[in-house]
């Protein structure tokens, strides 16, 4: 599903974000990406959505070598990838329902699909009673659920999560992890960058550790450090 | 498809409401720009109408008597043909005269039939020299079958020259205001994109295509342009009788020499003005999205 071969990325010719990273992530895997700040975790995720382009090496996502992907095809790559973030990136002037529907609307899905998919996904994330709430009226955990619903409503093959629990308390974080685990069990590949030692140590999934842009550990059923 | 159209129109409308002052500024500038563009076109039409019989070097017209025998027409034609001071000429039969009449004075066309109009020769002399033309006119005036000879007067030439100059000035002003309106639309689209940067970020994230992201902004610019063109057209419409009255009311102006435009010319101009407004809006907004919405 995801394959990197000897990938490197240098910002402005000096800051090395990634160097010589090679790895394989199979369909349906759940992978934690750990390492100190500035170790290249975010760059790794941004390469997969082609928000950044690698300076060297090759990146395959869903069977395509994306360094050579022409720019008009990038949106179609992104439709296979859901992304969630520490700061949720919700639209504050839209309701929960509208935030999720927006993701389908802007890729041209017809109204009939929107009217069935959005309630289904809001049910899955446990927000059936919050359709008309605005993001500011929700707790952090609820906001992250909305953002997961938005990322997953189009049933992507891959879900990328950049510190999704960074702003949440431990109890809420655990609920979010249960949700991600559930999504993973539908066959979706999940890659999650995190600093949360408790979560990594509890879940015991594959752990990939980066340090100064280098891959220093790749361990099945690993722990944080 | 329907959901897309409703999405685009909702977004464009929301943006227009968000920045009312900039929208009004863009619309009014476009209105002034197209007012000058329309004014240029109408001034050109009016001058051409008032001097229509004197285009392409025609310096005098030999009007023939009604019921002139065919052989007299032929002998006049061969005389014109062989005259050393005449470069070329055209014979205007009654149908051509009627067509010209309909174009220039459509309001009176119903009261006139082709057989009421005189036939004529439209003559281009070797040189547009006043003495030569009046001597030629005198020569042909006395030929059998000639009703009268009318020559282009100095005021016709002056009018054509004045028309050209007014047109140049109007075109320059139209160009300057058009540039201003493109820049204003460019800026208001930029403001709209800034106001919607979170939406744009999310759209890119979930895989909306570039054209889908850009389209509402381009539509918005075109709506600005079209609204401006409509205001400009309304101004042209309300100015038309005043301007025509200003020129034609000064003194007694001959029927064929009034500075006026026909209804079809005016409608054609309005159509061009509306297209021009759409174009200004499209250029300004395309410029803005091209510059600020790259992946």
């Amino acid at each position: 599903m995801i394959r990197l071969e000897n990938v490197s990325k240098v910002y402005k010719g000096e800051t090395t974000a990634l160097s010589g990273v090679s790895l394989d992530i199979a369909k349906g895997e759940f992978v934690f990406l750990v390492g100190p700040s500035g170790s290249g975790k975010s760059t790794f995720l941004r390469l997969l959505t082609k928000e950044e382009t690698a300076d060297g090496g090759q990146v395959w996502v869903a069977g395509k070598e994306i360094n050579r992907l022409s720019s008009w095809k990038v949106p179609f790559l992104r439709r296979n990838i859901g992304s969630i973030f520490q700061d949720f990136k919700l639209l504050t002037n839209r309701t929960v329902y509208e935030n999720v529907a927006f993701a389908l609307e802007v890729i041209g899905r017809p109204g009939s699909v929107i009217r069935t998919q959005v309630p289904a996904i809001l049910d899955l994330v446990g927000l059936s009673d919050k359709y008309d709430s605005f993001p500011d009226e929700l707790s952090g955990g609820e906001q992250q659920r909305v953002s997961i619903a938005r990322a997953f409503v189009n049933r992507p093959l891959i879900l990328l999560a950049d510190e999704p629990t960074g702003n949440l308390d431990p109890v809420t974080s655990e609920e979010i992890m249960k949700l991600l685990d559930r999504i993973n069990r539908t066959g979706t590949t999940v890659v999650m960058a995190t600093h949360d030692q408790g979560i990594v140590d509890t879940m015991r999934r594959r752990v990939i550790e980066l340090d100064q842009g280098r891959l220093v550990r790749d361990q099945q059923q690993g722990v944080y450090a | 498809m329907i959901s897309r159209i409703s999405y685009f129109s909702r977004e464009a409308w929301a943006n227009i409401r968000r920045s009312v002052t900039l929208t009004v500024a863009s619309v009014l500038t476009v209105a002034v720009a197209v007012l000058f563009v329309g004014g240029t076109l109408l001034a050109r039409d009016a001058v051409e109408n008032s001097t229509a019989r004197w285009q392409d070097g025609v310096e005098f017209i030999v009007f023939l008597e009604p019921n002139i025998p065919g052989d007299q027409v032929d002998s006049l034609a061969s005389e014109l043909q062989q005259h050393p001071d005449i470069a070329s000429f055209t014979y205007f039969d009654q149908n051509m005269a009627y067509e010209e009449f309909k174009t220039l004075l459509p309001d009176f066309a119903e009261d006139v039939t082709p057989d009421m109009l005189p036939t004529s020769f439209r003559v281009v002399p070797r040189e547009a020299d006043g003495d030569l033309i009046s001597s030629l006119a005198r020569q042909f005036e006395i030929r059998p079958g000639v009703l009268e000879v009318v020559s282009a007067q100095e005021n016709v030439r002056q009018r054509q020259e004045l028309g050209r100059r007014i047109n140049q000035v109007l075109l320059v002003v139209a160009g300057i205001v058009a540039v201003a309106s493109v820049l204003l639309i460019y800026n208001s689209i930029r403001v709209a994109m800034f106001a919607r940067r979170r939406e744009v970020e999310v759209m890119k994230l979930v895989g909306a295509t570039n054209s889908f992201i850009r389209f509402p902004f381009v539509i918005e610019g075109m709506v600005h342009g079209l609204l401006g063109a409509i205001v400009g057209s309304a101004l042209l419409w309300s100015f038309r009788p005043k301007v025509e009255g200003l020129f034609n009311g000064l003194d007694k102006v001959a029927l064929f020499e009034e500075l006026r435009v026909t209804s079809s010319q005016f409608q054609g101009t309005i159509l061009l003005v509306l297209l021009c407004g759409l174009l200004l809006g499209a250029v300004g907004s395309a410029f803005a999205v091209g510059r600020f919405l790259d992946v």
Side-chain angles (χ1 to χ4, degrees), chain B residues 22-50:
Chain B
L22 258 178
T23 302
V24 170
S26 314
V27 166
L28 290 183
T29 332
V30 172
V32 176
V34 300
L35 184 63
F36 280 107
V37 170
T40 310
L41 295 171
L42 291 175
R44 195 196 59 197
D45 284 341
V47 169
E48 266 181 21
N49 286 350
S50 82

Side-chain angles (χ1 to χ4, degrees), chain B residues 35-48 159-175 259:
Chain B
L35 184 63
F36 280 107
V37 170
T40 310
L41 295 171
L42 291 175
R44 195 196 59 197
D45 284 341
V47 169
E48 266 181 21
R159 196 181 295 205
Q160 287 177 332
E161 182 56 28
L162 184 68
R164 266 192 290 276
R165 288 195 185 159
I166 288 176
N167 253 327
Q168 283 165 357
V169 173
L170 284 179
L171 260 184
V172 169
V173 177
L259 270 172

Side-chain angles (χ1 to χ4, degrees), chain A residues 113-132:
Chain A
V113 171
I114 294 173
R115 280 189 296 275
T116 56
Q117 291 295 311
V118 177
I121 196 79
L122 285 174
D123 191 37
L124 177 81
V125 301
L127 290 174
S128 298
D129 54 342
K130 301 279 187 186
Y131 282 12
D132 296 326

Side-chain angles (χ1 to χ4, degrees), chain A residues 37-145:
Chain A
S37 297
S39 59
K41 302 189 298 295
S42 293
T43 301
F44 181 99
L45 295 178
R46 292 165 68 84
L47 284 180
L48 300 181
T49 53
K50 223 189 170 190
E51 284 164 88
E52 305 283 355
T53 305
D55 297 318
Q58 292 174 316
V59 180
W60 275 274
V61 175
K64 293 201 171 62
E65 209 283 273
I66 65 169
N67 284 346
R68 285 200 303 249
L69 203 63
S70 49
S71 63
W72 70 269
K73 285 182 179 161
V74 171
F76 301 95
L77 166 77
R78 291 183 187 158
R79 290 178 193 190
N80 289 322
I81 305 173
S83 296
I84 59 174
F85 304 92
Q86 184 171 2
D87 61 352
F88 320 130
K89 297 196 195 293
L90 297 176
L91 302 174
T92 52
N93 58 343
R94 291 172 198 256
T95 64
V96 166
Y97 185 94
E98 287 165 349
N99 261 285
V100 178
F102 186 73
L104 292 175
E105 214 171 13
V106 300
I107 58 172
R109 293 283 184 273
S112 56
V113 171
I114 294 173
R115 280 189 296 275
T116 56
Q117 291 295 311
V118 177
I121 196 79
L122 285 174
D123 191 37
L124 177 81
V125 301
L127 290 174
S128 298
D129 54 342
K130 301 279 187 186
Y131 282 12
D132 296 326
S133 304
F134 286 90
D136 293 344
E137 301 163 2
L138 302 176
S139 70
E142 287 167 330
Q143 290 190 47
Q144 192 60 290
R145 286 165 188 274

